[in-house]
Amino acid sequence: MSPKSPHEALRQRSLKSVWHPCTQMKRHESLALVTIARAEGVWLYDGEGRRYLDAIGSWWVNLFGHANPRINAAIREQLDRLEHVMLAGFTHEPVVELSERLSKLVSNQLGHCFYASDGASATEIALKMSFHYWHNLGRPEKNHFVSLQNDYHGETLGALSVTDVALFKETYAPLLRPGSHVPTPDWRYASEGESPQEHALRAAAALEAHLAAHHAETAALILEPLIQGAAGMGMYHPDYLRRARELCDRYQVHLIADEIAVGFGRTGTLFACEQAGILPDFLCIGKGLTAGYLPLSVVMTTEEIYAAFYGDNPARAFLHSHTHSGNALACRAALATLDIFEQDGIIEANRGKARYLNQASTPLATHPQVRNFRNCGMIWAFEVETSDPSFPGKFFQAALRQELSLRPLGNTVYFMPPYVINEQEMDLLVAGTLAALDAW
Ligand SMILES: *Cc1c(COP(=O)(O)O)cnc(C)c1O
């Protein structure tokens, strides 16, 4: 027997000691883990002479490439001053500056920032704050939530209760508090001859009917604005958001916008809600907030909601905490991320990149196995016509052989590349995807 390579040894140690996320571990009896030794720009390097284009941004977080010199420098500089201090009773420059700058970016209406580490925690915070607001106003019966069919808001128990993805949810149903889901505006569900806008307005009518019947016991509507990510990048018309805002106002229900995946330019504007010209009562952000470097999430909310918690009675306060709330290193990474957006005119530059990738993708969009090729901002997606249930795993492997990291959601293949991707890399992405489509 030949001696094991160091990479094979690492794979085996990982399988013994690391329980990998979202994985049936037995699959790794036949599917080799990919060991990553280092990364730079859009490329992941495995140390065995292979590289992979990080076409889904390391689970939707990486914006400005790996080992970005400016973000690296900002974190290093912060590291020498203050890595972390608890945020109860203490504060520090990075968390204050980040809160001020985020508020300015969303027009100063959401001026109060509450920090956690992961997206699911941000969902929990928004749900609890919404309920607690109504409780403080003497309306404790407003304790139900409504979300969209196929929505995803994270996988802790509260977040899973407002999530509607059977694969993640079904097993845990007995642990969850049942919520309501209203029909999705996703245009893949449109009827024959119905435009995306007509379909969105029909879905909004269903929301109206739900709120008319249940507003008295409903605290909030939570939704993923414009794109339902985990549902397979389902895209919908912004008119749905405009109607949702009007209906929430009319029926005194909070609107929680979960921009954890779509925030920070993914839909073509800094935040997706901008495209509908609306502001939510709670804005949840995470993932791209630190350009993928460190876990950090925020819930931003209004003066009115903040004021309902303010007073002498401790029970009126939001007594919720996460140990690493407002971590200084993570906040510094987020500030460096905002600097890059501003200094490099990223939103505008991305428009040119999106035009290029759309044009380059013509052979994909017209491929005989491809359905519903679509793009919004810096997200591309399409369905592959097949009834083979092992498509996602097989396609993932075929893509790796083409130097691409692509991880389909069911039959949906999607691109969520770092914004630093250049034209040559976009060409490689399309050519590799075409080759994987023919080879899986
Ligand atoms: C990823 C995601 C979450 C959960 O974030 P985690 O950091 O994985 O907990 C919540 N909502 C949406 C829309 C997401 O895409």
Side-chain angles (χ1 to χ4, degrees):
M1 253 175 66
S2 62
K4 266 187 260 161
S5 79
H7 295 281
E8 183 50 30
L10 186 62
R11 278 193 272 274
Q12 292 188 8
R13 281 166 56 208
S14 191
L15 292 177
K16 264 196 176 154
S17 61
V18 181
W19 197 336
H20 291 264
C22 205
T23 299
Q24 170 50 267
M25 292 300 289
K26 188 166 190 294
R27 277 196 63 216
H28 284 301
E29 286 180 6
S30 56
L31 183 72
L33 278 168
V34 186
T35 61
I36 296 301
R38 66 184 185 88
E40 196 179 340
V42 299
W43 295 102
L44 307 167
Y45 296 93
D46 71 357
E48 292 176 285
R50 279 188 296 268
R51 62 175 192 172
Y52 308 97
L53 198 159
D54 192 0
I56 59 166
S58 291
W59 259 353
W60 319 356
V61 298
N62 192 293
L63 302 188
F64 300 129
H66 296 272
N68 182 290
R70 287 143 85 183
I71 304 173
N72 283 11
I75 294 173
R76 273 197 204 102
E77 195 243 8
Q78 183 62 42
L79 190 56
D80 287 333
R81 277 199 270 169
L82 170 70
E83 82 297 338
H84 179 73
V85 63
M86 66 175 170
L87 208 57
F90 294 86
T91 194
H92 52 78
E93 177 72 27
V95 76
V96 174
E97 191 187 333
L98 180 60
S99 307
E100 290 172 350
R101 283 178 67 178
L102 286 173
S103 302
K104 216 174 268 167
L105 286 170
V106 287
S107 82
N108 287 321
Q109 300 296 302
L110 300 173
H112 300 279
C113 297
F114 197 102
Y115 289 87
S117 307
D118 296 299
S121 308
T123 299
E124 303 286 346
I125 289 164
L127 297 176
K128 283 178 69 178
M129 265 187 187
S130 172
F131 160 74
H132 198 162
Y133 168 91
W134 295 116
H135 182 276
N136 282 351
L137 259 60
R139 302 184 65 182
E141 70 286 358
K142 279 171 90 68
N143 60 32
H144 284 78
F145 300 101
V146 56
S147 58
L148 306 188
Q149 171 194 1
N150 297 343
D151 250 6
Y152 178 91
H153 299 292
E155 293 173 56
T156 52
L157 294 177
L160 204 51
S161 289
V162 290
T163 286
D164 184 40
V165 180
L167 183 66
F168 302 140
K169 184 167 181 170
E170 240 161 40
T171 309
Y172 307 103
L175 306 183
L176 305 178
R177 190 161 182 271
S180 307
H181 303 287
V182 288
T184 177
D186 177 348
W187 61 250
R188 291 177 299 172
Y189 291 74
S191 310
E192 186 86 21
E194 195 178 40
S195 73
Q197 185 183 24
E198 287 163 348
H199 178 66
L201 291 172
R202 188 157 61 87
L207 172 64
E208 179 166 12
H210 179 88
L211 290 181
H214 300 290
H215 64 93
E217 67 267 17
T218 302
L221 163 68
I222 179 168
L223 48 72
E224 299 177 73
L226 293 189
I227 301 181
Q228 293 183 291
M233 303 298 158
M235 300 183 181
Y236 64 86
H237 195 280
D239 272 0
Y240 186 84
L241 295 175
R242 271 187 281 276
R243 290 290 292 141
R245 178 69 274 179
E246 288 164 16
L247 292 168
C248 285
D249 287 340
R250 187 193 314 161
Y251 288 110
Q252 295 199 310
V253 165
H254 291 141
L255 177 60
I256 303 172
D258 175 354
E259 296 224 16
I260 291 161
V262 295
F264 294 94
R266 273 295 163 196
T267 66
T269 45
L270 192 62
F271 295 105
C273 284
E274 291 171 33
Q275 293 185 43
I278 63 152
L279 277 177
D281 301 292
F282 299 92
L283 177 63
C284 301
I285 50 184
K287 290 196 168 119
L289 172 59
T290 63
Y293 264 70
L294 289 161
L296 183 69
S297 62
V298 191
V299 177
M300 301 175 66
T301 193
T302 62
E303 182 60 31
E304 190 206 341
I305 287 163
Y306 176 79
F309 291 77
Y310 204 83
D312 295 320
N313 178 0
R316 273 190 91 83
F318 192 59
L319 301 181
H320 179 106
S321 54
H322 293 284
T323 305
H324 282 97
S325 185
N327 174 267
L329 286 175
C331 288
R332 184 56 74 192
L335 287 167
T337 301
L338 294 184
D339 287 344
I340 295 175
F341 267 103
E342 277 174 26
Q343 292 163 11
D344 294 9
I346 294 296
I347 297 292
E348 182 55 34
N350 280 354
R351 281 192 201 118
K353 293 194 184 202
R355 261 195 306 277
Y356 185 87
L357 187 47
N358 275 325
Q359 224 156 45
S361 293
T362 307
L364 269 179
T366 55
H367 189 283
Q369 266 182 38
V370 167
R371 298 285 174 269
N372 302 329
F373 185 90
R374 55 197 180 276
N375 159 246
C376 177
M378 290 298 279
I379 301 180
W380 288 260
F382 57 87
E383 275 72 54
V384 174
E385 195 157 83
T386 171
S387 51
D388 184 347
S390 52
F391 168 76
K394 287 180 181 166
F395 188 86
F396 172 72
Q397 290 287 96
L400 286 178
R401 288 191 291 272
Q402 300 297 327
E403 301 192 323
L404 299 179
S405 163
L406 285 173
R407 197 173 184 278
L409 295 155
N411 284 9
T412 305
V413 175
Y414 67 94
F415 305 150
M416 228 155 138
Y419 302 160
V420 294
I421 192 167
N422 64 32
E423 293 185 354
Q424 188 205 353
E425 290 158 345
M426 289 190 256
D427 290 339
L428 288 174
L429 174 56
V430 173
T433 305
L434 283 166
L437 267 178
D438 292 333
W440 70 271

